[in-house]
Amino acid sequence: MENTLNQSVLDAFTDQVTDDLGSRNQVAGAAIRNGLSHTVPFSLYTLLNRVEGPYGPEMFWQLSREAYDAHVTEHLPALDQTGWQKRGEDLLHDLLGDSYTSVLQEQSAATNLAPGVAAQLLGCSTVAVLGVAGEHAREHSLDPVALALWLRQEKDPLRRALLSVPQAATIGNHDQVPALVPDMPPSSSVAAWATAPAALVAETPTARWQWSLLLLLAVLLGYLFGHDRLGAPTTSLVAPAAAVTSTRLAPSAETRQPGRYDDASGNYIYDTGQPIILRLADGTTQKVGANSTENRLFTFLADPAIQVDSVNRTKGWINFDRVYFEPGATTLTDESFMQLRNVASILKTFPTSVVKLGGYTDSTGNPLKNFQLSEERAKTAMLAMAGMGIDMNRIQAKGYGGKYFITPNTTPEGRALNRRISIRVIKK
């Protein structure tokens, strides 16, 4: 038996634990064990995909550390009494977004368990993965990047585990094993530690639930990464030395930028790095930070070696670091116009470029209202830049609500980071 993370998590669910879970849900312990053989690898794979996304290593490291400190693997049957059961379910819900309901139906069908029991096992499995990973990180003194690298090395054993999971009965002649879940390309936030380049992922078609849990995973990956859905903004930029003074981005630019939460305004105040001077083609200059939105955008546009990724549309997103709105409203704060004006000036010196603005909220409140608010905020920023001389045909705007968080929404600081406007170059 392989000593893998998947197996270690399953081992945490001893017979006593599964019998206890079964008793609480009025099902046999054997049914719980069978259900976990589906939900544990599914939760692990979902978390792995998030780790490979922008800001993923830091988020996973923080959550696993909290889970380990809470000794969650010692209290698996009673997670609902500690709040961790709900945290696990909410985390998975956040990661899956609109597909959560269909995933739950798939899991219920695959495990022959009621949807409520399947939901509990999914949440419990997610928490157990965090707890076991947190223990490994603590024992080996792993930082976020090292933990993410170790987790990525678990992908091949995880696939073998997924293939060995007994599938639900299918209708018709579908007796062949579905194709393996495709590799996800590492985002720029983890490109530095990826051991080899991964092929770009293709969109996967929606399939009927009878095809099995593996095909469900492929559908899920297609939903999350194959469509025009926004992940957290990422970029990997190196500016031409002749164009800008000291414009090379700091190594930390690919993870969450340093800064602080301002309790008075409810905003996250970014530290944009050492001041530099951008020299634009029209002869004007801008004094900005080395890690600022302006420098990242200018570098992307100015460097001919950096191309727009037209396949993986989660790549190339850049957070605005000084654009804020009044709480719960679509009104830009006064200080926001300076950065929007800077960005408009940069775009004017690259007249063939086209950009897209993305609006995001935290996950508190009504999801539909959050989506509407994020949409209106993105449009407000778009109209502001249009008023600064950018042709409307060169700007697009779309809201995404609270789906694509870059850090957990469990603290005021995390929620402030997730409330943001981002920009992506879609044509240079």
Side-chain angles (χ1 to χ4, degrees):
M1 182 180 298
E2 288 185 292
N3 183 22
T4 64
L5 176 56
N6 180 67
Q7 188 58 51
S8 296
V9 175
L10 288 172
D11 289 344
F13 290 93
T14 63
D15 288 347
Q16 180 178 349
V17 170
T18 54
D19 288 343
D20 195 350
L21 287 170
S23 177
R24 288 168 179 256
N25 290 282
Q26 298 182 336
V27 298
I32 295 295
R33 287 187 282 276
N34 175 66
L36 289 168
S37 71
H38 291 77
T39 60
V40 167
F42 181 88
S43 296
L44 176 54
Y45 210 104
T46 303
L47 287 168
L48 173 59
N49 289 328
R50 184 62 185 90
V51 168
E52 293 186 331
Y55 308 95
E58 183 181 60
M59 187 194 78
F60 183 80
W61 181 84
Q62 180 63 35
L63 288 174
S64 61
R65 181 178 178 179
E66 291 177 13
Y68 174 73
D69 289 342
H71 307 287
V72 293
T73 55
E74 300 174 13
H75 309 288
L76 291 174
L79 290 178
D80 55 335
Q81 298 176 15
T82 64
W84 273 95
Q85 179 65 40
K86 185 176 186 304
R87 288 191 67 179
E89 293 179 16
D90 287 349
L91 174 60
L92 205 60
H93 202 161
D94 276 346
L95 291 174
L96 298 178
D98 290 343
S99 65
Y100 178 79
T101 300
S102 61
V103 165
L104 189 56
Q105 293 172 346
E106 297 279 355
Q107 291 287 332
S108 177
T111 60
N112 294 317
L113 293 171
V117 180
Q120 182 180 354
L121 291 189
L122 281 169
C124 193
S125 298
T126 301
V127 172
V129 170
L130 293 173
V132 173
E135 181 179 7
H136 181 83
R138 183 63 61 87
E139 288 180 352
H140 298 276
S141 301
L142 302 182
D143 62 14
V145 171
L147 180 61
L149 177 58
W150 170 73
L151 188 65
R152 180 171 172 76
Q153 294 170 343
E154 294 284 315
K155 177 169 280 190
D156 286 341
L158 177 58
R159 290 181 172 208
R160 290 192 289 272
L162 286 167
L163 281 175
S164 68
V165 172
Q167 304 301 318
T170 60
I171 297 176
N173 265 339
H174 301 304
D175 56 352
Q176 63 184 31
V177 178
L180 285 174
V181 180
D183 273 325
M184 292 307 307
S187 73
S188 57
S189 65
V190 293
W193 54 262
T195 56
L200 292 172
V201 65
E203 293 189 24
T204 51
T206 305
R208 293 175 296 178
W209 63 263
Q210 294 90 348
W211 266 59
S212 81
L213 179 59
L214 287 179
L215 191 54
L216 166 64
L217 286 171
V219 172
L220 171 61
L221 294 181
Y223 173 82
L224 288 178
F225 295 96
H227 293 73
D228 186 15
R229 299 275 179 170
L230 300 185
T234 65
T235 183
S236 179
L237 308 180
V238 180
V244 189
T245 303
S246 301
T247 55
R248 185 176 293 274
L249 297 180
S252 61
E254 295 306 332
T255 58
R256 190 173 80 189
Q257 285 182 234
R260 61 179 178 83
Y261 173 70
D262 180 58
D263 187 63
S265 65
N267 295 325
Y268 188 83
I269 310 301
Y270 289 88
D271 178 0
T272 58
Q274 180 180 359
I276 61 169
I277 301 298
L278 289 183
R279 302 188 185 279
L280 306 184
D282 60 3
T284 61
T285 62
Q286 295 181 12
K287 185 177 181 179
V288 296
N291 292 328
S292 66
T293 304
E294 291 94 329
N295 186 31
R296 293 158 69 90
L297 176 64
F298 176 84
T299 305
F300 189 96
L301 291 168
D303 190 345
I306 303 174
Q307 297 298 317
V308 175
D309 192 329
S310 59
V311 178
N312 186 352
R313 295 171 183 174
T314 67
K315 297 180 67 176
W317 285 93
I318 305 169
N319 282 337
F320 280 93
D321 48 52
R322 300 189 309 285
V323 171
Y324 304 107
F325 292 85
E326 298 295 340
T330 60
T331 305
L332 286 160
T333 60
D334 291 341
E335 66 268 27
S336 301
F337 288 94
M338 178 178 290
Q339 181 159 65
L340 290 172
R341 193 172 293 108
N342 283 348
V343 168
S345 296
I346 292 171
L347 292 178
K348 289 176 184 178
T349 62
F350 296 92
T352 62
S353 63
V354 180
V355 297
K356 186 172 187 177
L357 303 182
Y360 306 82
T361 66
D362 58 36
S363 63
T364 59
N366 183 284
L368 178 58
K369 290 183 178 179
N370 284 341
F371 171 78
Q372 294 170 336
L373 179 62
S374 68
E375 183 94 0
E376 290 304 314
R377 285 180 169 178
K379 289 179 179 178
T380 296
M382 176 185 69
L383 292 173
M385 291 175 60
M388 296 168 184
I390 304 301
D391 191 319
M392 286 285 289
N393 292 323
R394 297 179 56 201
I395 321 174
Q396 301 175 16
K398 187 172 179 62
Y400 297 90
K403 289 181 181 178
Y404 301 101
F405 58 93
I406 58 178
T407 189
N409 284 286
T410 53
T411 65
E413 178 182 348
R415 291 189 288 273
L417 278 162
N418 291 329
R419 297 189 296 268
R420 66 198 189 277
I421 295 292
S422 307
I423 186 170
R424 179 178 188 262
V425 177
I426 59 178
K427 179 178 180 293
K428 292 184 73 169

